[in-house]
Amino acid sequence: MKWPLSPEGEISEEFLLTIEKFEVMRLSFLENLSWGEAAIRMEVHQSTFQRALEK
């Protein structure tokens, strides 16, 4: 899993967050939906949602 922080704890110059990844995080963390519920909202398979969340 890649994070936007360098080993020194500094924010890296570039961090790509697609709209889809943003929506995955929003549904999971802000809306507090289960993977299954969020996948239904996004109209994707649950495994697709899970992979997007892990990235």
Side-chain angles (χ1 to χ4, degrees):
M1 187 178 297
K2 294 184 179 180
W3 295 98
L5 297 179
S6 70
E8 295 81 27
E10 298 172 354
I11 296 175
S12 65
E13 292 181 24
E14 185 176 319
F15 182 70
L16 180 61
L17 182 62
T18 64
I19 292 172
E20 291 81 12
K21 289 178 185 175
F22 178 80
E23 183 66 359
V24 164
M25 292 187 339
R26 186 186 75 78
L27 291 173
S28 185
F29 302 120
L30 295 178
E31 297 290 328
N32 204 28
L33 296 178
S34 70
W35 290 349
E37 294 168 324
I40 290 169
R41 283 240 193 126
M42 289 187 69
E43 299 179 357
V44 298
H45 194 274
Q46 184 174 339
S47 62
T48 302
F49 181 86
Q50 182 179 354
R51 279 193 303 274
L53 187 58
E54 289 172 351
K55 289 182 182 183

